[in-house]
Amino acid sequence: MIATRPQGCSVFLVEDEVMIRMMVADMLEELGYSVAAEAGEISEAVKLAQSTEFDLAILDVNVNGKVITPVAELIKARNRPFIFATGYGSSGLPEEYRDRPALQKPFQLETLAQMINNALKSAAA
């Protein structure tokens, strides 16, 4: 049983692998979230992080060989929660963000749901 989302909760998704991004977007929609915006490269993600309204972000750590830090800094400055997605484990996170939640790729629907619920609860606290 998967918990239902807060009404109107939207997610900003940054992932450079198109098939993975589509899969995660489908998973989010299956969980009842809307995808506010998607980006596959850092420059696009920076623009969207500044201009898009969203409740939570899921950020791939390594986007086409570039670290996601500039995007994470913008989202942190906007006081929005975010989750990293990585195939490298927590050691692959930027050093200043190793305390943030990280989804280990590949992940299951239930793991994604739990991480989102935890991130939203922590942000509301």
Side-chain angles (χ1 to χ4, degrees), residues 61-88:
V61 173
N62 183 330
V63 180
N64 293 318
K66 297 179 182 169
V67 180
I68 196 72
T69 305
V71 180
E73 288 172 355
L74 288 168
I75 294 169
K76 183 179 176 185
R78 290 185 65 185
N79 205 26
R80 298 284 198 291
F82 57 93
I83 298 167
F84 289 109
T86 179
Y88 305 105

Side-chain angles (χ1 to χ4, degrees), residues 1-113:
M1 174 91 180
I2 295 171
T4 56
R5 69 181 171 100
Q7 192 63 30
C9 190
S10 62
V11 179
F12 172 39
L13 178 59
V14 181
E15 169 61 59
D16 60 343
E17 296 287 337
V18 175
M19 294 304 290
I20 294 173
R21 191 168 66 235
M22 289 171 56
M23 181 190 71
V24 175
D26 286 347
M27 291 169 83
L28 289 167
E29 290 175 8
E30 187 174 334
L31 291 169
Y33 297 95
S34 64
V35 177
E38 297 179 27
E41 53 188 59
I42 296 286
S43 59
E44 181 184 14
V46 165
K47 290 176 193 163
L48 290 169
Q50 293 170 319
S51 62
T52 304
E53 284 303 317
F54 57 90
D55 300 300
L56 171 90
I58 298 175
L59 308 174
D60 183 10
V61 173
N62 183 330
V63 180
N64 293 318
K66 297 179 182 169
V67 180
I68 196 72
T69 305
V71 180
E73 288 172 355
L74 288 168
I75 294 169
K76 183 179 176 185
R78 290 185 65 185
N79 205 26
R80 298 284 198 291
F82 57 93
I83 298 167
F84 289 109
T86 179
Y88 305 105
S90 60
S91 63
L93 297 180
E95 184 132 357
E96 63 271 32
Y97 292 111
R98 292 216 172 127
D99 62 332
R100 294 285 178 149
L103 275 164
Q104 178 67 42
K105 292 180 187 176
F107 49 84
Q108 301 295 317
L109 185 69
E110 292 77 16
T111 307
L112 177 62

